[in-house]
Amino acid sequence: MKLWRSAWSHPLGAMLLVGSLQVAAYLWAGLDAREGPGYALPQPDTFFYCQAARRIVEGHPFSFSEGTVVSTGTTTVAYPFVLAVPYALGCTGDAMLLAGFVLNAAFYLVFLVSWGIVIRRKFKDDPGGGLVAGLLTALFGQVAYTVFAYFFA
């Protein structure tokens, strides 16, 4: 009970608590949306990112498949390189989707911590205002949706 009260005593703890609940909810939704084992089918962008990561590990970055012209192939250049790490470690199929989800969850929590630090500094004399600002930031659905939509449509 003390941990629960301390989490709500300042914006950073409240944001991390809400963010962790959001991560769990997105994971549950992705697992529950498909009959049988495995994850829900992701948006097509997921396949592009995973394909780009595979090609990076194969030593052919910036090409979507063998014999094609060089192209970034994705909306971000850095993210496939980050995804290439779990692929190089042997993640494929559902394991690759889970690895991507875990990376996105970590990035989302880092985002919340960063804003929590800013809010805490800005509202150091008004903890109630800081808590409201932190909760509004954590509960703003667009950020969470943007982070997790690539892996669970």
Side-chain angles (χ1 to χ4, degrees):
M1 192 68 167
K2 185 177 179 182
L3 175 64
W4 180 260
R5 263 187 260 135
S6 67
W8 291 106
S9 65
H10 56 80
L12 186 57
M15 291 172 75
L16 283 175
L17 183 63
V18 169
S20 298
L21 291 172
Q22 289 171 323
V23 168
Y26 271 92
L27 181 59
W28 176 80
L31 292 171
D32 190 54
R34 180 174 165 189
E35 291 181 22
Y39 301 103
L41 292 176
Q43 293 182 5
D45 287 5
T46 303
F47 296 115
F48 298 140
Y49 289 123
C50 292
Q51 176 72 2
R54 182 179 66 82
R55 293 293 290 163
I56 289 167
V57 172
E58 291 173 348
H60 304 286
F62 305 114
S63 69
F64 188 71
S65 58
E66 197 167 327
T68 59
V69 296
V70 173
S71 167
T72 60
T74 62
T75 54
T76 177
V77 176
Y79 191 58
F81 282 91
V82 173
L83 277 180
V85 174
Y87 191 88
L89 295 173
C91 291
T92 60
D94 281 347
M96 185 64 179
L97 294 178
L98 181 61
F101 179 85
V102 169
L103 285 170
N104 284 5
F107 296 148
Y108 180 61
L109 293 176
V110 166
F111 169 85
L112 290 180
V113 166
S114 299
W115 275 107
I117 292 168
V118 170
I119 290 169
R120 191 170 180 189
R121 287 180 183 169
K122 195 74 173 160
F123 289 91
K124 64 182 169 193
D125 296 328
D126 182 12
L131 181 61
V132 170
L135 287 174
L136 287 174
T137 302
L139 291 171
F140 182 58
Q142 183 62 37
V143 175
Y145 173 77
T146 301
V147 170
F148 295 112
Y150 287 104
F151 281 87
F152 297 109

